[in-house]
Amino acid sequence: MQANTTRGFLWSDVETRTLLDIWGEQDIQAALDGNFRNSFVYRDVARRLGVMGFDRTPEQCRVRIKSLKRQYLLAKEGNLRNNGQYHKISKFYGTMERILSSRPALDPQEFVEGGAGVEETGEGLEEDAEDAQDAYSEGALECYPAETEVKLEYPTVPIPIPVKVTVGTSARPPNSSQPASNLSARAPKRPRKRRSNFPMEKMMEQFLEQSAQAEENFYRLEEQRLQADDHRRETEHARELHMLQMLGQMFSSMSSARVAGSTAAASPSKPPPPFRPPVISSASQSHLRRPSAQTDCFSQQSQSLSADPQALAFERYFTLGSHRGMDEDVFSLVKTIVPPLTSKKHKGQDGRIGIIGGCQDYTGAPYFAAISALKVGADLSHVFCTKDAATVIKSYSPELIVHPVLDSPNAVEEIEKWLPRLHAVVVGPGLGREDVLLKTAKEVIEKSKARDIPVVIDADGLWLVTQQPSVIQGYQKGILTPNFMEFTRLYEALHHEPMNASDRQRSVLQLSGAMGNVTVVLKGEQDLISDGSKVYSCSVEGSGRRCGGQGDLLSGSLGVLAHWAYAASEMRARSVNPSVVAAFGACSLTRWCNSQAFQQHGRSTTTTDMIQEIGPVFRKLFES
């Protein structure tokens, strides 16, 4: 028969009398009288009750005995007061009287506090609640085996019973005359919490003072906010005036060029030459940054550039050294390659970019490149990485499609299956320099060249190009994005001589020409862009903060813009290198994201902070 562990389970009369017979045995009573912890006594009672055919837990036996004690004491107290009229509330009064008459008198209030006839749900045996919890936590449900007879030997140390005084009751327990030494052994009472006795008027006064102070702080902060808004509006107004002045200078130079061209109207007109952005020397750039020199620059070149207003806007940007002087015409060439958002498009039409990189040591770089591509406007970003890096990269963002195939034996075949679906490939972020991975990256570049899709090479991919320049040499849709150290290694590997660091523009031009007019983007204080024929400078305001991952943000966004540039019909109509326009847009976006993040976070700026700025900065630069 399975034991019922319910505390309030009903007891039959036969079962109750059997329990009382066992509980009233001399050894049980001696154990209860002489021991403070008595959980093992009730385990023995439950065991003996089980031998008699009643399966009860020690806890059920203890609760039943305590309930019978309560009924007995209530009946006894009622008999004393009402001449035996309350004898009927205790069915087992006689048995309890026989058992308890030889024991020390009990305190009725101890059993009455919980209410008559209601079994307690967790308040101790004859011991403290804490000790009882410890005793039963060690094994309240354990029982001795039925076939093993255990002889119990209990100590006979008497237990002092604390004296409790009930308010309004004149009767005192019989043991109230026990020695003071026993009373002194009682645990000290917990001191009551002291309550504040403040008058209601004082509390209300404090509340009103705090309310007035809070209101004053609110008005002060609101005034500061209004002042900041006024300052921002004044700054924007001053910037607009400055832009209007620059526009006036540009339009005046354009009108003077048209007047000069009208004098030769009698001669047969020739088709306008294709737009070729002028070469800007390092010596003239610092001079062109001064507003006083901008009008002279425009007047000198207006005759050759007036035929194409967008070409004039492109040239005007290169003569400006600060973002503050830009207007929307500056980015007209880049704006033309940004595809409009319409409801007729389907997923993947605006760009599916593949990132080749990501190993056990470098998992952040491919994530930064892939997530920046999505933030710029690509629909899908695929990351082809090693198996041990896939789970980590996937955990960064659920938007990425991660392929753990880069270190597999058939890695090239696995990646080649996805190439027809990709619009651009970024090789190098987090690639590492293991020979197996570099060999796979080389074959992927060859397969991408065969499919005529743009290839952006950065980071460890540039290490591969330094070792084997022919892998990308002469491919017009290839774009290299080295920093100064990577550029130096690549330059010296091709020219076999040290680079002239004082003339970086000439070095960029030479390297691009040596690579077969591959577009090269030298990242630095000013990003220098060259396709082997000219050098362009992107001087959008950045910051002095250089943290790891900024180059990955540039390469990821450049992959998207390169796809847009080669897909735009406007770029095919004009003789402008799409790779240069894409590089110009990506550099401007990255530098301004760095500036905006630095304004908020300062020295603690990270690439993650820059990623949060891609959306707002992209709208201001290319969609406003």
Side-chain angles (χ1 to χ4, degrees):
M1 179 170 61
Q2 184 177 359
N4 193 310
T5 58
T6 305
R7 293 171 61 89
F9 191 78
L10 296 179
W11 288 65
S12 65
D13 292 347
V14 177
E15 193 174 7
T16 302
R17 293 187 185 278
T18 306
L19 174 65
L20 289 176
D21 291 341
I22 297 173
W23 181 68
E25 293 180 3
Q26 184 176 0
D27 58 341
I28 297 295
Q29 290 300 313
L32 292 174
D33 290 340
N35 287 277
F36 191 69
R37 295 182 179 271
N38 51 25
S39 59
F40 62 92
V41 179
Y42 283 100
R43 284 201 294 269
D44 187 41
V45 172
R47 182 187 63 79
R48 298 185 187 185
L49 191 63
V51 174
M52 302 299 293
F54 302 102
D55 194 359
R56 291 288 183 173
T57 64
E59 176 68 9
Q60 290 175 334
C61 296
R62 182 194 68 79
V63 173
R64 182 57 174 163
I65 291 296
K66 192 165 187 177
S67 177
L68 293 172
K69 285 183 180 179
R70 185 189 306 112
Q71 296 175 14
Y72 164 73
L73 292 174
L74 289 175
K76 187 173 182 178
E77 185 178 1
N79 289 336
L80 295 176
R81 293 181 180 179
N82 300 282
N83 299 324
Q85 295 181 8
Y86 289 85
H87 182 79
K88 61 182 179 180
I89 69 174
S90 177
K91 183 185 298 186
F92 306 99
Y93 182 87
T95 306
M96 295 295 294
E97 176 72 18
R98 174 178 56 82
I99 296 173
L100 296 178
S101 60
S102 60
R103 296 186 59 184
L106 301 175
D107 183 6
Q109 190 63 26
E110 180 181 357
F111 302 95
V112 177
E113 288 175 352
V118 180
E119 295 189 357
E120 300 183 12
T121 58
E123 307 285 334
L125 301 169
E126 284 82 21
E127 52 189 333
D128 292 344
E130 181 179 358
D131 293 339
Q133 183 67 25
D134 294 340
Y136 279 102
S137 64
E138 296 174 359
L141 299 181
E142 295 180 1
C143 294
Y144 293 110
E147 65 275 8
T148 303
E149 187 69 24
V150 180
K151 182 178 181 181
L152 299 178
E153 294 182 1
Y154 307 111
T156 58
V157 180
I159 302 174
I161 300 177
V163 178
K164 297 187 178 180
V165 179
T166 304
V167 178
T169 304
S170 58
R172 293 178 57 86
N175 58 345
S176 60
S177 60
Q178 64 186 48
S181 60
N182 292 340
L183 295 177
S184 62
R186 295 171 53 191
K189 294 183 179 180
R190 177 184 293 179
R192 292 187 178 183
K193 295 182 179 179
R194 295 182 179 178
R195 300 181 180 273
S196 303
N197 227 352
F198 293 122
M200 182 60 69
E201 293 80 7
K202 187 173 182 180
M203 295 176 63
M204 183 60 67
E205 182 180 356
Q206 291 180 355
F207 173 77
L208 293 177
E209 290 177 358
Q210 294 176 358
S211 300
Q213 185 177 4
E215 186 176 3
E216 182 180 356
N217 293 337
F218 171 79
Y219 285 125
R220 184 173 67 254
L221 293 175
E222 186 68 14
E223 183 178 359
Q224 294 177 359
R225 186 185 65 81
L226 293 176
Q227 292 177 356
D229 289 343
D230 294 339
H231 179 70
R232 178 180 55 81
R233 282 192 291 268
E234 292 175 359
T235 304
E236 291 178 355
H237 182 65
R239 188 190 311 166
E240 291 174 356
L241 291 177
H242 181 67
M243 292 171 62
L244 290 175
Q245 292 176 0
M246 299 301 298
L247 283 173
Q249 294 177 1
M250 184 182 71
F251 288 141
S252 63
S253 62
M254 291 175 61
S255 60
S256 62
R258 289 172 182 172
V259 171
S262 62
T263 57
S267 60
S269 60
K270 296 182 181 181
F275 166 60
R276 296 185 179 279
V279 180
I280 302 176
S281 63
S282 58
S284 62
Q285 276 192 347
S286 60
H287 175 70
L288 291 178
R289 291 196 189 104
R290 297 194 299 269
S292 61
Q294 291 172 2
T295 306
D296 297 337
C297 176
F298 284 130
S299 62
Q300 292 173 3
Q301 298 176 356
S302 60
Q303 200 166 17
S304 61
L305 298 176
S306 59
D308 193 345
Q310 288 186 342
L312 181 61
F314 204 70
E315 165 59 19
R316 175 172 172 259
Y317 174 77
F318 293 133
T319 61
L320 293 176
S322 174
H323 161 64
R324 300 179 185 273
M326 292 187 298
D327 56 50
E328 59 183 8
D329 291 336
V330 175
F331 293 96
S332 59
L333 285 178
V334 182
K335 289 181 179 180
T336 58
I337 69 174
V338 178
L341 297 176
T342 63
S343 58
K344 298 180 180 180
K345 290 186 176 181
H346 56 80
K347 180 178 65 177
Q349 191 170 350
D350 280 343
R352 297 183 293 270
I353 310 302
I355 310 298
I356 311 299
C359 60
Q360 182 178 8
D361 295 332
Y362 306 106
T363 58
Y367 161 74
F368 288 139
I371 200 66
S372 62
L374 289 177
K375 291 286 187 178
V376 168
D379 292 337
L380 297 172
S381 280
H382 296 258
V383 178
F384 299 89
C385 62
T386 61
K387 185 177 181 180
D388 49 5
T391 304
V392 180
I393 298 174
K394 187 66 176 178
S395 67
Y396 292 153
S397 174
E399 286 92 357
L400 307 183
I401 304 173
V402 182
H403 306 271
V405 299
L406 194 57
D407 55 349
S408 62
N410 57 340
V412 178
E413 291 76 7
E414 292 291 336
I415 299 176
E416 187 178 8
K417 293 189 301 185
W418 289 91
L419 287 180
R421 310 182 191 182
L422 301 180
H423 295 125
V425 174
V426 180
V427 181
L431 179 63
R433 297 182 182 180
E434 296 183 10
D435 294 338
V436 176
L437 301 181
L438 292 177
K439 181 180 179 181
T440 301
K442 175 184 177 182
E443 296 185 20
V444 171
I445 294 175
E446 296 291 348
K447 300 291 184 181
S448 302
K449 288 165 55 180
R451 292 191 172 274
D452 196 35
I453 61 178
V455 178
V456 179
I457 301 180
D458 185 35
D460 294 325
L462 295 172
W463 175 266
L464 172 64
V465 176
T466 302
Q467 307 299 320
Q468 305 178 44
S470 59
V471 70
I472 197 66
Q473 197 167 20
Y475 185 56
Q476 298 303 307
K477 292 186 179 181
I479 305 175
L480 308 181
T481 59
N483 56 28
F484 181 74
M485 295 303 298
E486 294 166 341
F487 180 86
T488 302
R489 285 197 300 263
L490 188 58
Y491 182 92
E492 294 177 354
L494 289 174
H495 293 85
H496 305 287
E497 63 180 6
M499 184 191 71
N500 184 8
S502 61
D503 192 358
R504 296 189 180 184
Q505 294 194 8
R506 184 171 180 272
S507 300
V508 172
L509 190 67
Q510 291 177 347
L511 180 60
S512 178
M515 290 296 297
N517 295 97
V518 172
T519 301
V520 178
V521 180
L522 173 57
K523 298 174 288 188
E525 181 181 0
Q526 295 179 351
D527 294 338
L528 302 179
I529 308 168
S530 177
D531 59 353
S533 59
K534 298 175 181 62
V535 178
Y536 311 108
S537 174
C538 178
S539 302
V540 175
E541 180 182 3
S543 75
R545 174 62 171 155
R546 295 291 184 269
C547 57
Q550 297 186 42
D552 304 312
L553 191 151
L554 172 65
S555 61
S557 58
L558 180 53
V560 183
L561 292 174
H563 160 58
W564 291 349
Y566 280 100
S569 58
E570 292 83 356
M571 299 305 300
R572 291 193 293 268
R574 294 181 176 87
S575 300
V576 180
N577 189 342
S579 295
V580 172
V581 177
F584 168 72
C587 291
S588 303
L589 177 68
T590 305
R591 295 175 69 90
W592 202 1
C593 287
N594 180 267
S595 175
Q596 295 297 307
F598 185 79
Q599 291 180 12
Q600 298 185 30
H601 304 281
R603 188 176 294 274
S604 64
T605 303
T606 61
T607 305
T608 304
D609 302 324
M610 294 174 57
I611 291 175
Q612 302 304 321
E613 301 293 334
I614 292 179
V617 169
F618 188 91
R619 287 193 296 270
K620 292 179 182 178
L621 288 178
F622 308 127
E623 294 180 336
S624 61

